[in-house]
Amino acid sequence: MKEPKLIEAIGVDKQFGDTKVLRNCSLAVDVGETVVLIGPSGSGKSTFLRCLNLLEPPTGGDVFFEGRNITSDLRHADRIRRDIGMVFQNFELFQHLTAAENIMLAPMRVLGLCTADAHDLALDLLKKVHIPERSDHYPDELSGGQQQRVAIARALAMRPKMMLYDEPTSALDPEMIREVLDVMAELSADGMTSICVTHEMGFARRAADRIIFMEDGAIIENANAADFFGGLVNERTQRFLDQILH
Ligand SMILES: Nc1ncnc2c1ncn2[C@@H]1O[C@H](COP(=O)(O)OP(=O)(O)OP(=O)(O)O)[C@@H](O)[C@H]1O
Ligand SMILES: [Mg+2]
């Protein structure tokens, strides 16, 4: 039997009041794939990610996770958010907790880990994101790049089956972007299924299997990386690339 896709959106629509924000968006992602999602501001990239993990319920269409329709019953939402880690532009760490404590919180509350096990897990994950020495620091004692890596470690602590990144480096000073993209690329290389909203095309070239271009709430292009970087893109995608690359 054919393996189901890890996640598959079929004809997803999203409407806020009278405003149609997503139009018939379909995307299927295999286990281990890294997909980079690009598009102009307001094109619906964040909304699409949020529909995939049910932070926003789609107003039409379906989302399947491991072959199960998760939109048909919103009671799946808690479970899905556990299986899908999400990282945002502004880190959103708890300011009154140390790096380690930020990571320990959900595994203790949701997975029932004891303090000692959660602490061991936090240190392992801080090693994975290359800042084990920062475990006892509070967010305001960390650089933006370090805070974002704590946020990635915090997402990983729930042992997600995939990661969503929404412009994870766009609030960072240029010298810190690389260290965050390196961690994301390492996770992808280790087989973490990922969808990344980012306009860092160097990262896309290095880590992406596929590039998606969205415009006006629709998926205009869904290209494998070799075709995309070989210049086989449609005219609208090319026009957008010319804008962001020049
Ligand atoms: N909660 C909401 N209520 C009403 N409109 C919304 C809501 N969230 C998003 N929108 C609208 O949906 C459209 C798509 O927004 P979205 O944030 O998904 O775009 P985006 O591609 O992520 O943009 P950016 O690159 O600026 O982050 C925008 O026109 C936005 O104003
Ligand atoms: Mg956005």
Side-chain angles (χ1 to χ4, degrees), residues 14-17 19-22 38-50 56 89 166-167 197 199 214 217:
K14 179 70 187 181
Q15 206 160 329
F16 291 108
T19 316
K20 272 206 154 193
V21 172
L22 295 179
I38 62 175
S41 180
S43 58
K45 305 178 299 294
S46 297
T47 306
F48 187 52
L49 285 193
R50 294 165 64 83
E56 290 286 357
Q89 186 175 340
D166 194 355
E167 305 212 36
V197 176
H199 292 134
M214 282 186 80

Side-chain angles (χ1 to χ4, degrees), residues 116-172:
D117 287 350
H119 194 252
D120 287 349
L121 174 65
L123 289 187
D124 278 352
L125 290 170
L126 285 168
K127 271 187 210 140
K128 206 176 183 107
V129 301
H130 311 305
I131 42 171
E133 75 286 358
R134 291 288 186 266
S135 66
D136 296 330
H137 290 242
Y138 289 88
D140 67 2
E141 301 167 336
L142 299 172
S143 72
Q146 291 169 342
Q147 289 185 61
Q148 190 58 297
R149 284 182 286 157
V150 172
I152 292 172
R154 181 177 62 175
L156 294 174
M158 293 300 283
R159 303 188 185 100
K161 293 175 178 165
M162 75 178 296
M163 291 286 286
L164 303 176
Y165 302 94
D166 194 355
E167 305 212 36
T169 61
S170 55
L172 297 178

Side-chain angles (χ1 to χ4, degrees), residues 67-226:
R68 195 154 35 97
N69 189 336
I70 57 174
T71 30
S72 62
D73 183 349
L74 291 176
R75 281 176 303 184
H76 294 310
D78 283 347
R79 177 68 218 230
I80 287 307
R81 279 184 224 127
R82 220 190 294 172
D83 284 342
I84 304 179
M86 189 156 182
V87 173
F88 304 89
Q89 186 175 340
N90 291 316
F91 333 134
E92 305 195 12
L93 296 175
F94 296 110
Q95 296 299 315
H96 64 290
L97 298 179
T98 63
E101 288 165 350
N102 264 281
I103 299 168
M104 292 161 66
L105 194 64
M108 289 178 70
R109 283 201 185 157
V110 182
L111 303 179
L113 262 60
C114 68
T115 308
D117 287 350
H119 194 252
D120 287 349
L121 174 65
L123 289 187
D124 278 352
L125 290 170
L126 285 168
K127 271 187 210 140
K128 206 176 183 107
V129 301
H130 311 305
I131 42 171
E133 75 286 358
R134 291 288 186 266
S135 66
D136 296 330
H137 290 242
Y138 289 88
D140 67 2
E141 301 167 336
L142 299 172
S143 72
Q146 291 169 342
Q147 289 185 61
Q148 190 58 297
R149 284 182 286 157
V150 172
I152 292 172
R154 181 177 62 175
L156 294 174
M158 293 300 283
R159 303 188 185 100
K161 293 175 178 165
M162 75 178 296
M163 291 286 286
L164 303 176
Y165 302 94
D166 194 355
E167 305 212 36
T169 61
S170 55
L172 297 178
D173 291 335
E175 68 272 20
M176 290 166 196
I177 291 177
R178 179 66 195 239
E179 64 197 35
V180 172
L181 294 176
D182 281 350
V183 164
M184 293 164 58
E186 286 160 17
L187 291 171
S188 287
D190 281 350
M192 176 59 81
T193 311
S194 310
I195 304 178
C196 322
V197 176
T198 180
H199 292 134
E200 294 290 340
M201 297 315 286
F203 169 80
R205 200 179 270 274
R206 184 172 155 209
D209 299 299
R210 255 178 327 131
I211 321 286
I212 309 292
F213 173 61
M214 282 186 80
E215 194 178 58
D216 291 335
I219 293 178
I220 302 288
E221 174 114 34
N222 179 348
N224 73 50

